[in-house]
Amino acid sequence: MPVVPPSPEPIRSLVGEGDPDLDRRLSAELDRVNAAATPGVAPARELTVRALDHDGELAAGVSGWTWGVAAGIALTWVREDARSAGLGSRLLADFEAEARVRGCSHVFVTSFTFQAPGFYERHGYREIFRWEGVPTPEAADVHLRKDL
């Protein structure tokens, strides 16, 4: 009877906190899968818009991506002392304008109910999904879309 070598070590899981190296690797691996699944479509590109105050300090920003005909907003923030002055609206308009230049026909964003879903709705976004009880029982994660 042939001798069967012992099986290799089993795959193990390592649970941890933020891991930038892992994030880069996962992103690169998914980029390869996405490129193979979407021949002829340019790879995803990051898209950021920042607003600086008179001292050159960050007053607000939007960070997201474009890929094919879609754009996504991942992060939006306006410094407290700069809120209610139209800065967020200006950044959103700049983000959308660049998304159009890149060939996008729509933008996606998520916002918790305690953040700014109303802000996006006032700018033409419509709710397409709501995940109740996230991140707390009384809150919801609201997913919105706007056709450009």
Side-chain angles (χ1 to χ4, degrees):
M1 197 176 256
V3 175
V4 177
S7 63
E9 285 288 317
I11 295 175
R12 56 192 171 109
S13 297
L14 301 175
V15 178
E17 298 288 330
D19 186 337
D21 291 334
L22 177 61
D23 289 348
R24 280 189 291 279
R25 174 70 186 273
L26 296 175
S27 182
E29 296 294 343
L30 288 171
D31 286 349
R32 280 192 276 285
V33 170
N34 294 344
T38 57
V41 175
R45 293 171 54 195
E46 291 186 16
L47 172 54
T48 61
V49 183
R50 69 180 66 210
L52 305 178
D53 65 17
H54 61 279
D55 294 323
E57 295 295 320
L58 185 66
V62 176
S63 178
W65 51 267
T66 59
W67 183 35
V69 297
I73 296 172
L75 302 168
T76 303
W77 172 79
V78 178
R79 195 173 63 204
E80 192 169 350
D81 68 337
R83 294 179 187 157
S84 300
L87 187 53
S89 297
R90 189 171 92 201
L91 291 177
L92 186 59
D94 290 346
F95 184 96
E96 292 171 357
E98 179 60 21
R100 281 188 199 90
V101 167
R102 295 183 183 190
C104 296
S105 60
H106 50 278
V107 180
F108 296 98
V109 66
T110 64
S111 181
F112 294 113
T113 49
F114 55 82
Q115 291 176 327
F119 166 80
Y120 293 106
E121 289 169 338
R122 288 190 300 277
H123 288 87
Y125 288 73
R126 63 181 174 77
E127 183 176 325
I128 58 173
F129 177 75
R130 179 179 289 245
W131 188 7
E132 297 289 347
V134 176
T136 63
E138 61 279 348
D141 184 11
V142 182
H143 297 239
L144 305 110
R145 173 188 169 136
K146 180 179 181 178
D147 293 329
L148 297 177

